[in-house]
Amino acid sequence: MKIAFLTDPLSQFKTYKDSTYAMMVEAGKRGYAVYAFGPDDLALESGKVVANIRRVILTGDSHDWYRLEPAEALPLNAFDAILQRKDPPFDMEYIYSTYLLELAEQQGAKVFNKPAAIRNHNEKLSIAQFSQFTAPTLVTRDEQRIRAFHREHQDIILKPLDGMGGTGIFRIREDGMNLGSVIETLTVNGSRTIMVQRYIPDIVHGDKRILLIGGKVVPFSLARIPQNGEVRGNLAAGGLGVAQELSARDLEIAQTLAPELYQRGLLLVGLDVIGSNLTEINVTSPTCFQEITQQKGFNVAAMFIDALEVAIGDH
């Protein structure tokens, strides 16, 4: 099998925690050929979706971990699978890449996650489709609505709809200090829509990442626990990652969403759950494979490649 990863530059990978790296290593163990390319390598040329793609030779050394063969311009349908693993920001360039990948699908390429499904599932807004599992939530650019929400709930979280890694998340407490300034900053003076949620005190026990793979639930979550007075548990914001078994509520949420999201073309999903509340549905490039594997001995990458093999066969 030949698997091509659409991803960020390999030179930026942190091999001790990168989930795409874990996928590549697992694929390599099974004798599959691994390739990589970036969004800037994609093109539509003479009606065909092609990319300047390089074969990745894995060295087995976690520091000096790869060699790249010279780039070749190849059609995406020449591969058994294309894995979309590009991190946000989910900007117009990201959307353009989903259009090209969708064209490639029409030409016979097998793309995971499905480009239309990535485009249709904003990682913040998608929780509204499963509101039985969410804390009180407001989505708006209107300052008066946000102020009314704060008056009702007193302690709130405000965040942009296109961030990742905890960027741009603010907590405003009962006194409302800096509320006006935060609204102006996040909405860019009323021109950008944001999400506002009631603060969930259970964040002190961690923002749990629950992985759904091929419509099934990984049996452990990674609780990302805020450190040093932070309100954010994201690992990118300095959170401490602790792998743990799923609670009954975690399982209820995950088992409800897993088959539905898989049916929509999402092979890999990362749910974020705080306490008993679903807060995000991550579909662009969910991570936390390695932390769960290292702490619990459960090989998440193997489960993922197993599911990929099934999905390729079913496609």
Side-chain angles (χ1 to χ4, degrees):
M1 267 210 320
K2 294 162 67 177
I3 302 175
F5 290 78
L6 170 51
T7 189
D8 293 293
L10 304 189
S11 59
Q12 296 176 7
F13 282 27
K14 295 182 173 71
T15 56
Y16 64 92
K17 68 172 190 174
D18 196 287
S19 295
T20 306
Y21 170 73
M23 293 173 185
M24 289 180 169
V25 170
E26 182 63 31
K29 276 184 193 167
R30 300 185 189 201
Y32 300 155
V34 173
Y35 296 77
F37 64 106
D40 53 336
D41 293 313
L42 264 175
L44 176 65
E45 209 166 62
S46 304
K48 281 273 188 190
V49 180
V50 300
N52 295 327
I53 299 181
R54 294 168 176 261
R55 183 159 182 186
V56 182
I57 306 301
L58 301 169
T59 65
D61 178 336
S62 62
H63 297 291
D64 182 21
W65 65 274
Y66 67 92
R67 299 280 180 272
L68 289 176
E69 293 190 350
E72 282 187 89
L74 297 169
L76 296 196
N77 61 11
F79 296 86
D80 294 284
I82 305 292
L83 295 184
Q84 162 61 297
R85 292 291 299 168
K86 173 75 180 70
D87 281 342
F90 194 84
D91 52 13
M92 284 310 298
E93 282 300 321
Y94 210 118
I95 289 171
Y96 296 149
S97 72
T98 67
Y99 291 141
L100 289 173
L101 291 171
E102 209 169 356
L103 275 171
E105 282 185 314
Q106 292 167 19
Q107 295 167 4
K110 298 173 181 178
V111 185
F112 307 94
N113 285 329
K114 204 167 173 58
I118 291 177
R119 202 170 55 240
N120 291 341
H121 290 79
N122 176 276
E123 298 190 323
K124 310 290 192 293
L125 272 173
S126 292
I127 65 168
Q129 298 177 43
F130 305 96
S131 58
Q132 71 269 36
F133 299 128
T134 65
T137 298
L138 170 71
V139 176
T140 187
R141 63 170 77 173
D142 183 278
E143 180 174 355
Q144 295 314 311
R145 281 193 167 91
I146 298 170
R147 288 188 176 278
F149 189 88
H150 178 257
R151 283 194 298 274
E152 180 182 356
H153 296 290
Q154 301 288 305
D155 198 352
I156 63 172
I157 292 287
L158 303 91
K159 54 187 172 183
L161 291 176
D162 61 353
M164 70 163 285
T167 54
I169 293 179
F170 292 88
R171 179 184 180 186
I172 300 292
R173 300 175 192 247
E174 293 82 350
D175 60 12
M177 186 179 290
N178 289 328
L179 178 58
S181 177
V182 169
I183 293 171
E184 288 166 16
T185 301
L186 285 184
T187 68
V188 192
N189 295 311
S191 66
R192 297 192 70 187
T193 302
I194 66 168
M195 177 171 278
V196 191
Q197 291 177 309
R198 186 179 69 198
Y199 174 72
I200 305 167
D202 284 320
I203 184 61
V204 298
H205 304 301
D207 178 354
K208 293 172 284 188
R209 167 58 55 84
I210 300 170
L211 294 167
L212 313 179
I213 297 175
K216 296 184 170 62
V217 183
V218 173
F220 302 97
S221 70
L222 189 77
R224 296 156 302 167
I225 301 168
Q227 303 293 300
N228 305 318
E230 268 286 356
V231 72
R232 304 169 299 170
N234 309 73
L235 300 182
L240 174 68
V242 178
Q244 57 189 37
E245 290 187 8
L246 302 187
S247 70
R249 174 66 167 182
D250 294 341
L251 269 173
E252 181 191 1
I253 294 170
Q255 288 174 345
T256 302
L257 271 63
E260 173 67 27
L261 295 176
Y262 185 51
Q263 198 172 15
R264 296 182 190 181
L266 296 166
L267 178 71
L268 172 61
V269 178
L271 305 180
D272 288 350
V273 174
I274 300 174
S276 61
N277 298 279
L278 176 68
T279 60
E280 288 190 20
I281 299 174
N282 294 273
V283 301
T284 48
S285 58
T287 186
C288 298
F289 280 35
Q290 293 212 58
E291 293 88 349
I292 291 170
T293 299
Q294 288 158 7
Q295 293 181 38
K296 292 296 181 182
F298 182 87
N299 191 334
V300 184
M303 179 176 171
F304 175 77
I305 299 295
D306 286 347
L308 179 65
E309 290 168 350
V310 171
I312 291 168
D314 291 346
H315 214 279

